[in-house]
Amino acid sequence: MLYHPDKHRDPELKRQAEQLFNLVHEAYEVLSDPQARAIYDIYGKRGLDVDGWEVVERKRTPAEIREEYERLQREREERRLQQRTNPKGTISVGIDATDLFDRYEEDYEDMVGGGVPHVEINKMHISQSIEAPLTTKDTAILSGSLSTHNGNGGGTINLALRRVTSAKGAVFYATVGPLVFYLAIQQLIIRPYLRAQKEQDLEKQRESSASDIARKKQEAESAVLLMQESVRRIIEAEESRMGLIILNAWYGKFVTDNSRRHERAKVIDVTVPLQCLVKDSKLILTEATKSGLPGFYDPCVGEEKSLKVLYQFRGVMHQVLSGDTEPLRIPKQCKSWDKDGQTSVLDTTWI
């Protein structure tokens, strides 16, 4: 109803409302079709936009679609892992073929079975190694080998750390014992690797979703414009009953740690969208990311987000901070008891 074009007289608002209304209609058509919904839940819109190819047959059931997707996902993960670990291996075999070339004895042809030369494997060597890039300079290498000769054999397993120490590519190898390895791996490898990997993943995610973010931002701004008249009526109704008024609300990444003050907060104003969701002096948000709410978008893709709300209820101001996927209900309600210990009413308390 909020986005219905007939609800808006202004030509520009009507145009923006029509665009958002078409998105709502498209979403409804997908979510009301079990097969289309199953494809969307797994593949997103790409699975629905058939451009000369189909991911799976449309006649399959949702369970079959999910099973096929998981199989393809495993195959992709295996290929990705193989590319990252750079596996290398060699197998060498020693063959005793003396009998094949020794044809100079006079009685060779007269021997029983002499027509078929005897060839046997008398030694074998197998080696395998994998590499795991930990940072731009550090690589962990796990290698092993197995050798046999005339029935006797042995093997080795090696774990090494390779670090590039200069721009010329000087390489330092070190083999560490279990205790030293555990301590060093935590401080020098795992933590820096996780930080570097997270930054790389975030940067790739931002680059790949830049156009999508811009589109969602534009849709959110259009939605906020379309909400203005509805929000005005809601505020008037809430003020008349001293109900719930959203004074200010922000969504995104807040910097509260003093050690990270150099980082810039990445938040957007969502006061109007939240007030639009107020009904009967209550605001209820379900357990899901809030970036999908009308008038919202993700200002910091891949980073931890929160919702901060400053609101007024019964003439008193309150503030609440909620995690991105945490459910939220304001004002919060809890049970109270009468003098006999029986539950009597729902009493409003403050978060």
Side-chain angles (χ1 to χ4, degrees):
M1 292 178 63
L2 180 67
Y3 299 149
H4 199 288
D6 294 344
K7 294 285 185 179
H8 305 277
R9 296 180 180 179
D10 182 270
E12 179 61 22
L13 291 180
K14 184 182 287 290
R15 183 188 66 81
Q16 295 179 356
E18 186 174 359
Q19 293 178 348
L20 293 173
F21 187 80
N22 290 336
L23 289 176
V24 174
H25 179 67
E26 181 184 358
Y28 177 79
E29 287 187 333
V30 171
L31 300 179
S32 60
D33 182 338
Q35 291 183 336
R37 180 169 187 154
I39 294 174
Y40 176 79
D41 287 344
I42 300 171
Y43 298 98
K45 287 195 66 176
R46 186 183 66 174
L48 298 169
D49 299 333
V50 181
D51 186 17
W53 61 276
E54 289 195 5
V55 180
V56 291
E57 297 179 16
R58 295 300 177 91
K59 64 182 181 180
R60 292 190 179 185
T61 65
E64 291 174 331
I65 293 172
R66 184 173 295 277
E67 183 179 351
E68 178 70 9
Y69 170 76
E70 290 175 351
R71 183 186 67 80
L72 295 173
Q73 185 72 7
R74 286 195 298 269
E75 292 180 356
R76 286 194 293 268
E77 285 296 319
E78 289 174 0
R79 290 195 296 268
R80 185 186 66 82
L81 181 61
Q82 188 173 21
Q83 292 172 352
R84 287 179 60 88
T85 56
N86 190 25
K88 299 177 183 178
T90 60
I91 300 178
S92 60
V93 179
I95 300 176
D96 183 357
T98 305
D99 195 30
L100 179 63
F101 300 99
D102 188 4
R103 296 178 176 271
Y104 300 103
E105 296 183 6
E106 296 180 356
D107 57 347
Y108 183 81
E109 297 293 338
D110 298 331
M111 294 178 60
V112 178
V116 180
H118 178 66
V119 178
E120 65 176 0
I121 298 175
N122 60 5
K123 61 181 179 180
M124 179 181 294
H125 178 78
I126 302 174
S127 64
Q128 180 75 34
S129 68
I130 59 173
E131 298 181 0
L134 303 176
T135 66
T136 55
K137 294 184 177 182
D138 300 319
T139 303
I141 305 171
L142 179 64
S143 61
S145 63
L146 177 66
S147 300
T148 63
H149 182 68
N150 292 331
N152 297 319
T156 60
I157 297 178
N158 297 309
L159 177 63
L161 171 67
R162 183 175 66 197
R163 163 165 285 191
V164 179
T165 58
S166 70
K168 295 180 179 180
V171 179
F172 170 74
Y173 288 93
T175 303
V176 293
L179 180 59
V180 177
F181 173 76
Y182 174 77
L183 296 176
I185 208 78
Q186 286 288 334
Q187 297 297 326
L188 301 177
I189 300 174
I190 294 181
R191 291 179 182 175
Y193 167 70
L194 291 177
R195 286 195 296 267
Q197 189 66 33
K198 183 178 180 181
E199 288 299 323
Q200 292 177 7
D201 292 343
L202 284 176
E203 188 60 31
K204 291 179 181 178
Q205 194 172 2
R206 293 190 193 101
E207 292 175 358
S208 63
S209 58
S211 60
D212 187 54
I213 294 173
R215 178 179 59 82
K216 290 185 179 297
K217 180 181 178 180
Q218 178 61 44
E219 291 176 359
E221 291 173 348
S222 297
V224 170
L225 287 176
L226 297 171
M227 292 175 182
Q228 297 292 340
E229 183 60 28
S230 295
V231 166
R232 184 185 64 78
R233 294 195 300 267
I234 292 172
I235 291 177
E236 288 179 355
E238 292 297 320
E239 286 179 340
S240 66
R241 64 168 75 113
M242 294 188 66
L244 179 59
I245 306 295
I246 306 298
L247 301 176
N248 288 108
W250 304 271
Y251 173 69
K253 176 185 176 182
F254 297 89
V255 179
T256 57
D257 189 347
N258 291 330
S259 63
R260 298 165 57 193
R261 286 294 180 184
H262 64 282
E263 298 185 22
R264 185 171 61 89
K266 304 173 184 177
V267 298
I268 58 174
D269 189 322
V270 291
T271 306
V272 171
L274 281 189
Q275 186 68 66
C276 194
L277 294 174
V278 171
K279 184 177 181 180
D280 298 330
S281 299
K282 291 188 290 291
L283 173 65
I284 301 175
L285 303 180
T286 59
E287 190 175 351
T289 177
K290 297 171 178 62
S291 61
L293 293 172
F296 281 62
Y297 69 93
D298 192 340
C300 46
V301 175
E303 299 185 69
E304 186 176 348
K305 291 171 281 292
S306 302
L307 175 65
K308 187 176 183 180
V309 184
L310 178 65
Y311 66 95
Q312 179 177 295
F313 185 75
R314 298 289 187 260
V316 181
M317 287 194 301
H318 308 276
Q319 180 174 290
V320 61
L321 183 65
S322 172
D324 186 26
T325 58
E326 293 178 3
L328 176 66
R329 179 188 177 103
I330 53 177
K332 188 177 181 180
Q333 293 183 328
C334 66
K335 293 180 180 180
S336 65
W337 289 263
D338 58 23
K339 61 181 180 179
D340 297 325
Q342 301 296 320
T343 302
S344 58
V345 295
L346 286 175
D347 185 25
T348 304
T349 56
W350 315 122
I351 302 176

